Amino acid sequence: MPSPNIDLTGSHVLLTGAAGFLGSRLLRLLQSRGATVTALIRPGALLAGDTNARTVEADLSGDFSPDLQQVGGVDAIIHLAQAGGWRDFPSQTGAIAAVSIAAAARLAEYGVSHGARQFILASSGGIYGPSAQALTEDAPIRPTSELGFYLQAKASAETLLQCFEPHLVVSRLRYFFIYGPGQSEDFLIARISRSIARGESIRLAEACGPRLNPIYVDDAARATMAALDLKESCAINVAGPEIASLREIAELIANVWNHRVAIEPVDKSPDHYVGATDRMVKLLGSPTIGLKDGISRVCHLEKAE
């Protein structure tokens, strides 16, 4: 089993997406374990909270090679950044491809030439497509015509980074529905929570919706950090410890809000997305925050705001 107390003292980690939802938690966690972190951030962006991380401004949608020269030697690179507007195909597709694919390749190239041993890529469980069965890492990736541009960019980045495996330990982390306090309504559970808080109805296929095993953001951050200890390249699902239908998740949210959840049935079959976690548990450790606890944390923080 992986050590829950990985010691990163003396390590230099280059992190993209450090101002984001997952990245801001991961940044604090890396520093708490002794890592020196350089955060590549968008020009004008600010890191959340109290941190002494070094920042280098870089536009990942362009040629940021000159900016990388400020970084120096690194032990590991974690690429979490994603371009905005990923739902708005075909607009922003150039930026999405640049950040997901070209930036990943440029960062890996830099890592090989500057001493890195590890490269962690934020991918998505969505690249498998829906399945009635729990999805293992050996499940096939869906064809381009079924994925859409954003998920195809994630899958393409995974494929290209495998070329670097003779030089780097490449961990392709496939996250399943990260959630937690402070997440924007672009994401599923935050959107459901705020709809219920406003008294809006929830549209669900067959009145039940898909089965999912979402992962709480702190568990996702711990799993990401644990990947820095891996000795071999691989793909790993990063998903939560409990499987529930979206209706069951909505009812948990409604209980915290003390609201009645209004379900609007949709006459279609639900698309289930459940990630098998055997490999995650073996290599990165077990997620610890269940749905009831995680949703309670989300809703109580939103109530306080």
Side-chain angles (χ1 to χ4, degrees):
M1 288 292 292
S3 170
N5 297 308
I6 181 173
D7 184 4
L8 298 173
T9 302
S11 296
H12 182 197
V13 178
L14 178 60
L15 174 64
T16 75
F21 180 62
L22 173 60
S24 59
R25 271 82 168 177
L26 180 59
L27 172 59
R28 294 194 295 270
L29 191 56
L30 290 168
Q31 291 185 305
S32 75
R33 300 299 170 82
T36 298
V37 180
T38 296
L40 284 189
I41 60 173
R42 294 187 308 275
L46 296 173
L47 297 180
D50 182 19
T51 175
N52 61 356
R54 180 188 178 207
T55 59
V56 172
E57 291 191 348
D59 180 1
L60 300 188
S61 66
D63 181 1
F64 58 96
S65 298
D67 304 306
L68 284 174
Q69 298 314 309
Q70 303 176 50
V71 174
V74 292
D75 297 293
I77 296 173
I78 304 176
H79 185 34
L80 302 183
Q82 64 181 36
W86 52 275
R87 290 179 175 273
D88 302 325
F89 182 85
S91 67
Q92 301 300 312
T93 52
I96 291 167
V99 174
S100 294
I101 303 170
R106 196 179 301 278
L107 288 164
E109 177 188 29
Y110 181 85
V112 170
S113 63
H114 286 77
R117 301 183 300 274
Q118 302 274 349
F119 192 106
I120 297 174
L121 175 71
S123 187
S124 170
I127 66 175
Y128 301 114
S131 172
Q133 307 300 320
L135 292 151
T136 71
E137 291 84 356
D138 297 325
I141 292 172
R142 283 296 173 106
T144 301
S145 60
E146 298 179 22
L147 280 182
F149 191 87
Y150 170 75
L151 288 173
Q152 181 56 52
K154 291 290 189 185
S156 297
E158 284 202 29
T159 300
L160 289 175
L161 284 176
Q162 287 177 274
C163 297
F164 288 88
E165 289 181 0
H167 310 283
L168 296 165
V169 175
V170 178
S171 300
R172 295 168 281 130
L173 303 187
R174 297 170 178 171
Y175 300 99
F176 280 75
F177 299 99
I178 299 175
Y179 73 101
Q183 191 174 33
S184 81
E185 285 190 51
D186 287 339
F187 298 91
L188 179 64
I189 291 180
R191 186 164 65 251
I192 294 290
S193 177
R194 286 163 203 172
S195 292
I196 291 171
R198 293 190 292 259
E200 298 169 357
S201 62
I202 308 298
R203 290 169 53 84
L204 295 176
E206 295 182 352
C208 209
R211 288 182 291 108
L212 316 167
N213 55 337
I215 185 161
Y216 192 75
V217 62
D218 291 350
D219 277 336
R222 282 189 287 268
T224 305
M225 184 181 68
L228 292 173
D229 223 13
L230 296 179
K231 303 298 187 288
E232 295 182 359
S233 298
C234 62
I236 307 175
N237 294 337
V238 179
E242 296 177 61
I243 300 168
S245 70
L246 197 52
R247 179 171 189 145
E248 290 170 325
I249 292 170
E251 288 171 346
L252 284 173
I253 294 168
N255 285 340
V256 178
W257 283 113
N258 198 25
H259 286 188
R260 174 181 165 272
V261 60
I263 303 297
E264 183 179 339
V266 177
D267 187 18
K268 60 173 286 191
S269 297
D271 291 332
H272 304 297
Y273 287 88
V274 174
T277 57
D278 293 0
R279 187 178 294 179
M280 173 190 176
V281 170
K282 179 181 178 181
L283 297 178
L284 306 181
S286 300
T288 61
I289 300 172
L291 277 169
K292 184 175 181 180
D293 184 14
I295 285 170
S296 178
R297 297 184 192 194
V298 171
C299 296
H300 283 306
L301 183 66
E302 290 177 355
K303 280 183 175 180
E305 289 177 347

